[in-house]
Amino acid sequence: RITINGLGKVASQPAGIQCGAKCILTKPASGTLKLTATPNTGYLFAGWRGDCVGLNATITLDLSKGNHNCTALFSKPVTSAQ
C-alpha cells in the first residue's frame, strides 16, 4: 500500500499505477517495483516513511521481500524573512 498526503503524486513502473490520496496495488510476488514521487506545483518532496524510508524521490522495491507500506511526504518550501 502506498499513501501520500495529497500534495503530490506517486507513479510506479512497471505496474503503471497513478495514486491520488491513496492507492492500493496487487503486485506480483517477485521482481522489482520502481516508485517515483512528484510534488505538486509549489510543494517539495520531503521523503518516504514507513517501509520505504529515504529521501530519494525514486526508489526501487524488491517485491520478493513481501508487502511494503509506504508513505510519500510533501511539504511547502520554507521561506525565511529577511
Side-chain angles (χ1 to χ4, degrees):
R1 185 173 58 156
I2 307 154
T3 60
I4 60 175
N5 61 5
L7 307 176
K9 294 183 171 62
V10 175
S12 72
Q13 291 295 331
I17 60 171
Q18 294 287 333
C19 303
K22 185 181 282 190
C23 58
I24 297 173
L25 168 70
T26 301
K27 59 173 185 58
S30 64
T32 60
L33 178 70
K34 182 171 78 171
L35 300 177
T36 302
T38 305
N40 288 341
T41 301
Y43 293 91
L44 299 172
F45 174 68
W48 295 96
R49 301 295 182 268
D51 296 333
C52 302
V53 175
L55 296 176
N56 291 332
T58 299
I59 58 172
T60 301
L61 304 176
D62 181 351
L63 299 180
S64 66
K65 296 191 178 195
N67 289 325
H68 300 276
N69 190 353
C70 307
T71 301
L73 302 176
F74 303 93
S75 64
K76 278 216 172 262
V78 176
T79 57
S80 59
Q82 296 186 11

